[in-house]
């Protein structure tokens, strides 16, 4: 995970506040909604990244967006971000919070690259096999990579499982040279 260290500190503090209260799942959902809005709406993204937009306006947008149902601890973090003019950390903070939340649940997230989209059943089967191998619950995101001729490359945590055609051909070539 490559996130801003300040965002990691904010996320760690937020998680330590909401987790004992049983609000971690709700907080994660609200952070996901905010990040989705930032990534899908150019105006919202511009507002949060623009230092000339007053923090009060950003806070007001969040209040209206969540219709006052915002987790109070998350609202406190937003007030702090506003006071320090650190709204640009929002996406990194959400990513770091997700990591802390997943860790508390014994979940590891990763990616599986393939030449074409994997079926839901194939993805579920791969997740189950990797979960068994790593002794953790694994969730994978399928990324289509046209440069792969066939097979898959799964990356979970520090592990890479390369079952691509290119890797099989490389191994076969090395074996033939030996």
């Amino acid at each position: 995970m490559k996130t801003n260290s300040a965002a990691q500190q904010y996320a760690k503090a937020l998680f330590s506040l909401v987790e004992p209260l049983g609000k971690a799942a709700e907080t994660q959902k609200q952070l996901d909604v905010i990040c989705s809005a930032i990534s899908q709406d150019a105006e919202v993204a511009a507002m949060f990244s623009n230092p000339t937009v007053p923090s009060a306006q950003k806070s007001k947008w969040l209040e209206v967006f969540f219709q006052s149902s915002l987790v109070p601890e998350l609202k406190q973090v937003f007030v702090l971000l506003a006071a320090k003019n650190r709204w640009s950390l929002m996406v990194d903070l959400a990513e770091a919070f997700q990591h802390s939340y997943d860790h508390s649940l014994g979940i590891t997230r990763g990616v599986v690259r393939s030449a074409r989209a994997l079926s839901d059943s194939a993805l579920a089967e791969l997740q189950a096999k990797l979960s068994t191998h790593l002794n953790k619950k694994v969730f994978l995101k399928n990324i289509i990579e046209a440069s792969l001729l066939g097979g898959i490359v799964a990356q979970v945590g520090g592990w890479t499982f390369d079952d691509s055609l290119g890797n099989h051909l490389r191994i076969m070539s090395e074996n033939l040279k030996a």
Side-chain angles (χ1 to χ4, degrees):
M1 180 177 73
K2 294 181 181 181
T3 2
N4 182 298
S5 63
Q8 288 176 347
Q9 294 303 315
Y10 283 110
K12 185 178 178 182
L14 177 59
F15 187 77
S16 70
L17 288 172
V18 298
E19 200 267 336
L21 301 172
K23 297 180 183 178
E26 184 180 0
T27 303
Q28 181 59 56
K29 286 177 187 171
Q30 290 181 350
L31 283 169
D32 286 344
V33 169
I34 292 166
C35 289
S36 178
I38 290 171
S39 68
Q40 294 176 1
D41 189 331
E43 287 182 34
V44 174
M47 178 186 67
F48 277 101
S49 63
N50 187 343
T52 63
V53 175
S55 292
Q57 184 179 342
K58 295 172 185 177
S59 296
K60 184 68 175 165
W61 181 88
L62 289 167
E63 294 256 349
V64 170
F65 190 74
F66 282 103
Q67 301 169 354
S68 301
S69 65
L70 200 58
V71 172
E73 294 78 11
L74 185 54
K75 186 176 180 179
Q76 290 173 336
V77 170
F78 292 155
V79 169
L80 187 58
L81 289 174
K84 303 283 184 180
N85 200 21
R86 295 236 164 154
W87 286 107
S88 61
L89 298 177
M90 185 71 72
V91 174
D92 285 346
L93 184 153
E95 183 180 319
F97 188 91
Q98 176 79 58
H99 182 74
S100 295
Y101 182 56
D102 287 349
H103 183 73
S104 75
L105 298 174
I107 294 172
T108 300
R109 294 187 186 271
V111 297
V112 59
R113 294 179 287 129
S114 58
R116 61 177 190 243
L118 298 177
S119 68
D120 290 341
S121 61
L123 191 60
E125 183 180 340
L126 182 59
Q127 286 175 162
K129 286 181 181 180
L130 289 173
S131 293
T132 301
H133 183 74
L134 297 173
N135 293 324
K136 290 184 177 186
K137 181 70 178 158
V138 174
F139 288 109
L140 295 172
K141 177 181 177 183
N142 188 202
I143 297 174
I144 290 115
E145 190 171 299
S147 65
L148 286 174
L149 299 174
I152 61 166
V153 178
Q155 293 174 303
V156 181
W159 296 90
T160 299
F161 302 91
D162 191 345
D163 193 32
S164 65
L165 180 59
N167 189 48
H168 284 280
L169 291 173
R170 183 187 56 77
I171 291 170
M172 190 183 309
S173 174
E174 289 174 2
N175 288 340
L176 288 173
K177 289 179 183 175

